[in-house]
Amino acid sequence: MHTLAARGMTLAASSDIKTNMKLGYDQFIEKSGIEGGTIGTLLKVIGGLIIIICVGVLILRKWNPQTQMFQGIQQGIGAMGVFVVICGLVVGLLLIAPQTIGDFLVQIAGVFVQFFMDILSKVFGVTMG
């Protein structure tokens, strides 16, 4: 039970929206066949290649920063270039372990959705049973 619901306040969204999102993601993974078989193996190989490329870019950026690409990552688009590499690492991890990493990301998103719905319910006075 959500902490606000335990205090007797009515929430605008379901009190277990995070759990509902996690169950939906688990059903998607189960029914799509991503976890096993040829597709699962292919996604793991692709995820591994993405991680190798991203780590290689980070290492080469420090080892040989004089090239045009690595200077762009460090200077002009410095923060954005590193952000793209970190996003690549997360996508690689998601392709390698979709159940573990995906559940974690879905639950984080569920917390934000619940928080947003709680704020909207207080601002607009909307209550749902």
Side-chain angles (χ1 to χ4, degrees):
M1 179 175 262
H2 194 273
T3 56
L4 292 177
R7 295 181 187 161
M9 297 180 181
T10 306
L11 301 176
S14 170
S15 61
D16 60 347
I17 195 165
K18 186 173 80 168
T19 305
N20 292 337
M21 289 176 70
K22 180 187 178 311
L23 291 175
Y25 181 77
D26 289 342
Q27 288 177 354
F28 168 74
I29 292 293
E30 180 184 317
K31 291 181 180 177
S32 66
I34 290 176
E35 271 294 303
T38 308
I39 294 175
T41 305
L42 181 64
L43 289 176
K44 287 181 175 139
V45 169
I46 292 171
L49 291 174
I50 290 172
I51 289 175
I52 289 170
I53 290 169
C54 290
V55 169
V57 166
L58 288 176
I59 290 172
L60 289 174
R61 180 179 68 102
K62 291 296 181 184
W63 185 40
N64 190 12
Q66 290 82 20
T67 61
Q68 184 177 2
M69 182 175 104
F70 299 130
Q71 283 181 352
I73 289 175
Q74 284 185 319
Q75 294 171 356
I77 57 167
M80 185 56 87
V82 173
F83 178 74
V84 168
V85 171
I86 291 172
C87 286
L89 290 171
V90 170
V91 167
L93 285 174
L94 186 59
L95 291 175
I96 289 174
Q99 189 70 39
T100 307
I101 305 297
D103 276 346
F104 177 71
L105 295 176
V106 165
Q107 287 187 17
I108 288 175
V111 168
F112 287 118
V113 169
Q114 181 69 55
F115 183 69
F116 180 69
M117 294 297 288
D118 290 344
I119 289 174
L120 285 179
S121 72
K122 299 302 177 204
V123 169
F124 295 111
V126 176
T127 58
M128 298 175 84

